[in-house]
Amino acid sequence: MIHVVAITVGQWGLRVPAREGETTRRALIDEEALDLSLKVRRDGDALLLPLLDWREGAEQCLFEQNPERVVLPRHELVGGIAIMPERDRAGAQKILASRPSLHTIVYAKGEVSGEYRTREFEVLAGTPTTRTEVIEYGHRFHVDLAAAYFSARLSSERQRILQQTGRNETVLDMFAGVGPFAITLAARAALVVACDLNPQAVELMLENIAQNRTKNVLPVLADARRLAGIFPWRFDRIVMNLPLSGTEFLKEAFRLCKAGAMIHFYSLVSEEGEHLSCIQKLGGEVIAERVVRSYSPGQWHAVYDVRVGN
Ligand code: SAM
């Protein structure tokens, strides 16, 4: 008698009520976020869907391998590009062959670094480019991984802030990159001012504004430190996504706010409440502090939703 032993592996899983399982599974496939090498698991009234990467609400689970699927080396997807953490040319060819939506496989040579928060890449397979297009909740963003920062992992954060944005609001995105927060929030806000120091990021942002036919984003190539001197306006909402050094700009952000405004302040932290006292000293009240994603053991990206006092 032959016993078939199922191989189980640990992976991030998304728990959904069984009745929502198929809709969520399809949505995850469209986002290229479902780990197709693993089998969906039933757990009581819920289904556990295996994910390629962490996202809000994900938990660590054990899944059985899907024998019909080729097991691919680890990679992260950004539009038509797969980013590999290892310089594995054979693995890159395997990924390219098994994912028809991809045009390029790159190896991330180093960490995100420098003022522009960019990384160096080496193309391992496919078209020699670091440019691609990302589709996110109906928007299309041109990105160039080597020229300007972009993270697909923040898509649910952009939607969360969109839900809070009011119709008459004037919003400032202090570190806008190629414009994903700004263009997303522009669907509701009256005006979004989108600032970045990196000229290539602003060039891509202009392409993205045109491509998405957005009429109420004002791109600004500037150092965010100088904004209070440039603009006479005060804002209802400010997005601060510069996790490593955002604290240096908090004072400036408070200066740019109307009384009662909201600041969404992203930071790399190693303990809960790390920035509470600094925010309180500036006259802010922390409405919520949430984990956005893990970064390294003992460190995570957090977002503080801060209400600015009168
Ligand atoms: N918000 C964008 C996103 O989510 O894709 C980009 C965030 S990225 C972590 C930070 C951005 O801040 C980079 O595009 C970088 O060029 C920009 N930056 C860094 N220092 C800046 C400064 N002093 N003033 C304006 N922008 C700055």
Side-chain angles (χ1 to χ4, degrees):
M1 194 168 134
I2 300 170
H3 292 280
V4 179
V5 181
I7 301 170
T8 53
V9 279
Q11 177 57 292
W12 291 112
L14 191 65
R15 183 181 292 274
V16 292
R19 63 180 183 286
E20 291 168 22
E22 188 49 23
T23 318
T24 314
R25 193 183 74 86
R26 281 177 190 279
L28 290 172
I29 290 173
D30 287 348
E31 281 180 51
E32 299 191 328
L34 192 73
D35 189 338
L36 296 167
S37 68
L38 302 175
K39 286 185 179 173
V40 173
R41 216 184 91 194
R42 185 154 196 129
D43 187 21
D45 290 340
L47 289 181
L48 289 165
L49 303 171
L51 300 171
L52 286 167
D53 213 335
W54 183 88
R55 65 168 49 208
E56 203 183 333
E59 55 190 274
Q60 270 295 322
C61 309
L62 286 175
F63 291 100
E64 265 182 47
Q65 273 189 341
N66 195 345
E68 293 145 34
R69 297 279 174 179
V70 183
V71 179
L72 298 174
R74 241 161 61 81
H75 61 279
E76 179 187 340
L77 300 175
V78 180
I81 299 181
I83 306 170
M84 297 182 72
E86 267 120 42
R87 190 192 267 114
D88 170 6
R89 285 189 186 278
Q93 290 296 347
K94 225 164 136 184
I95 296 171
L96 192 65
S98 54
R99 289 187 176 277
S101 62
L102 298 182
H103 54 77
T104 302
I105 318 294
V106 297
Y107 159 60
K109 283 166 101 171
E111 292 299 311
V112 171
S113 68
E115 206 166 30
Y116 296 165
R117 311 308 300 145
T118 48
R119 269 205 279 187
E120 261 191 80
F121 294 96
E122 180 183 328
V123 175
L124 297 179
T127 313
T129 182
T130 49
R131 266 190 82 111
T132 189
E133 194 180 61
V134 176
I135 300 175
E136 189 183 289
Y137 289 92
H139 286 118
R140 287 171 177 271
F141 300 121
H142 289 146
V143 307
D144 185 335
L145 298 176
Y149 178 94
F150 179 85
S151 172
R153 294 178 187 185
L154 291 171
S155 61
S156 49
E157 265 303 297
R158 298 191 250 277
Q159 293 303 308
R160 185 182 74 86
I161 296 176
L162 174 66
Q163 298 316 314
Q164 297 182 20
T165 304
R167 295 271 167 211
N168 296 319
E169 287 190 8
T170 310
V171 177
L172 169 65
D173 186 350
M174 277 177 101
F175 312 105
V178 306
F181 271 102
I183 291 168
T184 301
L185 302 188
R188 282 211 180 181
L191 174 73
V192 184
V193 173
C195 168
D196 205 284
L197 193 63
N198 175 357
Q200 285 179 282
V202 176
E203 253 177 56
L204 286 157
M205 196 198 310
L206 283 166
E207 284 182 32
N208 291 329
I209 289 169
Q211 154 130 310
N212 290 286
R213 297 194 171 85
T214 306
K215 304 275 192 285
N216 53 344
V217 170
L218 177 63
V220 179
L221 175 61
D223 185 333
R225 287 182 189 87
R226 306 186 57 194
L227 288 177
I230 298 171
F231 287 110
W233 310 315
R234 293 296 171 259
F235 296 89
D236 298 293
R237 188 175 298 278
I238 297 189
V239 178
M240 298 180 70
N241 180 24
L242 187 63
L244 249 56
S245 46
T247 33
E248 291 169 28
F249 297 81
L250 263 177
K251 219 179 189 170
E252 202 59 29
F254 272 77
R255 230 178 262 156
L256 285 156
C257 276
K258 289 180 188 168
M262 180 69 92
I263 298 177
H264 304 283
F265 168 59
Y266 293 84
S267 184
L268 183 65
V269 297
S270 43
E271 62 175 315
E272 215 182 314
E274 196 167 303
H275 296 302
L276 280 186
S277 70
C278 153
I279 290 168
Q280 279 161 0
K281 269 188 207 145
L282 288 166
E285 182 196 353
V286 175
I287 305 291
E289 177 182 351
R290 314 168 66 250
V291 177
V292 178
R293 68 183 179 98
S294 61
Y295 181 78
S296 61
Q299 280 193 306
W300 60 95
H301 278 144
V303 56
Y304 292 75
D305 292 343
V306 178
R307 176 77 64 203
V308 174
N310 297 319

